[in-house]
Amino acid sequence: MTHAWNFSAGPAALPPEVLKQAQAELLDWHGIGASIMEVSHRGKAFVSVIEEAEADLRELLAIPDNYRVLFLQGGASLQFAQVPMNLSAGQSADYLVTGSWSKKAHKEAARIGAARLVATTKEEDGSFTRLPDIERLAFDKNAAYVHLCTNETIHGVEVFDEAEARLFETLAQTAPGVPLVADMSSHILSRPLDVRRYGLIYAGAQKNIGPSGVTLVIVRDDLLERAGENVSAQLSYRKQADNGSMLNTPPTFAIHMAGLVFKWLKARGGLAAIAAINREKARRLYEAIDRSGGFYRNAVDTVCRSAMNVPFNLPTPELEAQFVKESEAAGFIGLKGHKSVGGIRASLYNAVPLEAVEALVGFMEGFAARG
């Protein structure tokens, strides 16, 4: 069958070139007589894979030398607990809540220790459609860290460069030295990033990095020493860093696939090049929504409309269900909104080509005309 246009929020589309290369190498990786998923994680073959993956990631994101790159397990959701376990050191942490994932992160951190809610943009109807008034934020100068989600996958709220710069400036003025911690699961590698603004970045792989099973953590060296000996070795950033992410058997095939994605990104010109394509994809889809005369509606403030996750609604739930049904028949998958909010959601990750967005816009126009 023809490969579908995949708008799934995660696990999500992977580049066809990466899938084909993995397929070609599946039974015999580089002439070793076995698949890369069949050999020891401590052997020469896999060590070369994880070292190349880290080197390519460092190049793509311009990661400074005083940051460690960890390939962990448990998904971004485990980081909701692992971050406070490692960084709190008995102090309170500050949380910004701008959607479902930062809300869950705050709730989980409160199980570990003190987690102060600095601001939430939750509306009375439960929706999230904006960022907080950044200049009015009052951070605790004694906080262990400030946590935020820079792209809310479910609600489609993203922190772009201008808002990030204002947040960094506000934090530097009101709580100098307090590190920023960010969940970047659904937009990391979609555009250039100044890693130096953050003490720690984490991301589940299954959006722009690779298949599910590996979690990326980028952490500044000085923060590794915060965790005491009471933190389990498997959950300790310091011990994982000391062991090259191989304190136990890592998700070897997922790391291999991530490495192939990193090379694919480099071959396409890096993050600046992919960002230009992503901006165009998002522009075309939002324009289709906005010119539909209200048939399609996206309620997110235009300054923080996500370029990766575009949620929208139709006039009735019945029409939304029909939209999903007809879109699947037309060769689109992954357009049903998250179960917690309903509606429709199109995720425009790096591997989703511009042609897929053009096809979706054409389908949307035809559906609206019929509706």
Side-chain angles (χ1 to χ4, degrees), residues 27-35 38-39:
L27 297 180
D28 183 4
W29 184 82
H30 292 201
I32 64 173
S35 172
E38 297 179 296
V39 298

Side-chain angles (χ1 to χ4, degrees), residues 20-198:
K20 290 176 182 176
Q21 181 176 348
Q23 181 185 49
E25 298 175 341
L26 189 62
L27 297 180
D28 183 4
W29 184 82
H30 292 201
I32 64 173
S35 172
I36 194 65
M37 73 173 82
E38 297 179 296
V39 298
S40 170
H41 61 291
R42 301 190 189 280
K44 182 179 179 181
F46 181 72
V47 169
S48 70
V49 165
I50 195 170
E51 288 179 348
E52 277 192 40
E54 178 176 340
D56 288 338
L57 180 68
R58 284 185 174 276
E59 181 180 343
L60 283 166
L61 286 172
I63 300 174
D65 291 340
N66 63 324
Y67 284 75
R68 303 296 292 271
V69 173
L70 308 178
F71 296 98
L72 304 180
Q73 301 178 65
S77 293
L78 181 58
Q79 293 304 310
F80 298 164
Q82 197 165 350
V83 166
M85 284 180 181
N86 280 267
L87 301 189
S88 289
Q91 297 172 270
S92 174
D94 280 359
Y95 277 73
L96 300 175
V97 172
T98 54
S100 291
W101 294 112
S102 50
K103 180 181 176 182
K104 290 182 178 182
H106 175 246
K107 182 178 180 180
E108 192 64 23
R111 299 176 188 271
I112 309 299
R116 189 175 74 103
L117 180 61
V118 177
T120 179
T121 57
K122 184 178 180 180
E123 306 290 347
E124 290 185 4
D125 63 358
S127 65
F128 292 88
T129 60
R130 61 184 177 86
L131 296 175
D133 188 343
I134 293 173
E135 282 75 17
R136 292 181 178 273
L137 295 175
F139 295 111
D140 178 3
K141 65 180 180 180
N142 295 313
Y145 59 86
V146 172
H147 180 281
L148 73 157
C149 178
T150 48
N151 187 70
E152 289 283 356
T153 318
I154 294 174
H155 293 93
V157 176
E158 183 168 0
V159 179
F160 290 102
D161 293 344
E162 190 270 338
E164 180 196 53
R166 289 190 290 119
L167 175 63
F168 187 73
E169 182 179 354
T170 299
L171 180 61
Q173 291 175 349
T174 60
V178 175
L180 269 176
V181 172
D183 175 359
M184 295 191 179
S185 293
S186 54
H187 75 156
I188 195 168
L189 297 179
S190 69
R191 53 186 171 89
L193 162 70
D194 187 352
V195 173
R196 296 169 299 176
R197 285 180 166 166
Y198 296 88

